[in-house]
Amino acid sequence: MSSKNRLRVALVALVVGLTGLATAGPAMAATQPATSVAAGAQQDQAPLIPTAFVDLPTSDLQAHSDRHKIKVTYTNDTAADLTVAPQLLVSSPDAGPFLEPTDVTVQHRTADGCWETVPLGTQTGTLFTDLPTAQRTLHPGETLTEVYRLTVLNSAAKGTVQPRIALYG
């Protein structure tokens, strides 16, 4: 199976999981929005589902202990507000072995300049950062710039790093 096909399978599986078709568990609960009950009526908000992705240039996973910065930039060139979410995908080689979340560390630079560790999900040999927690609203003409730092912890790890932007509705 080619890397692109494996990536597509992983994305379809991710979207299916986020829409609630999978059984609820700790991982599913973390992606579901909170619901509120007021005066006996339940208000449910369906999670946002990406309608498109903007793929940014990929790079090879550099398997040594240096930290590598990855900059994700996207400008809202529409006339309306746009909900977006930056995401990093780290894909395993076609022939394996599949990467594990313990093979790499991904950190995100916060607004105050500190680094915070980003938990990674894994599916079909692809590691990925969470979309729901990364969502931002960009006003017309506004630019999103996020900086990540990736450190390879397993010197035998091989793969590809693909930053991208998820677009919603």
Side-chain angles (χ1 to χ4, degrees):
M1 180 181 293
S2 76
S3 179
K4 280 191 173 199
N5 286 338
R6 189 172 64 226
L7 182 57
R8 285 186 183 125
V9 169
L11 293 175
V12 168
L14 177 62
V15 169
V16 168
L18 290 174
T19 59
L21 296 177
T23 59
M28 260 321 272
T31 63
Q32 295 299 312
T35 58
S36 62
V37 177
Q42 184 175 357
Q43 273 183 292
D44 290 323
Q45 291 182 350
L48 293 176
I49 303 297
T51 56
F53 291 93
V54 176
D55 292 327
L56 302 172
T58 62
S59 61
D60 289 333
L61 185 63
Q62 298 180 19
H64 53 79
S65 62
D66 290 346
R67 293 178 173 148
H68 304 282
K69 287 187 182 172
I70 301 160
K71 191 174 187 179
V72 178
T73 303
Y74 180 78
T75 300
N76 178 3
D77 58 4
T78 70
D81 285 352
L82 183 62
T83 300
V84 301
Q87 185 177 49
L88 290 184
L89 302 174
V90 183
S91 300
S92 300
D94 289 338
F98 284 169
L99 293 167
E100 297 291 331
T102 55
D103 291 335
V104 300
T105 297
V106 174
Q107 295 174 305
H108 171 259
R109 185 176 302 187
T110 62
D112 60 1
C114 296
W115 292 100
E116 67 181 4
T117 300
V118 178
L120 296 174
T122 182
Q123 195 162 30
T124 319
T126 299
L127 306 177
F128 56 89
T129 58
D130 188 43
L131 285 173
T133 58
Q135 290 177 5
R136 312 277 191 281
T137 299
L138 291 180
H139 303 295
E142 201 171 39
T143 298
L144 167 76
T145 300
E146 297 289 340
V147 179
Y148 294 90
R149 177 165 82 175
L150 186 139
T151 305
V152 177
L153 304 174
N154 176 354
S155 62
K158 295 185 187 320
T160 304
V161 179
Q162 179 186 0
R164 67 184 190 167
I165 301 291
L167 304 177
Y168 296 85

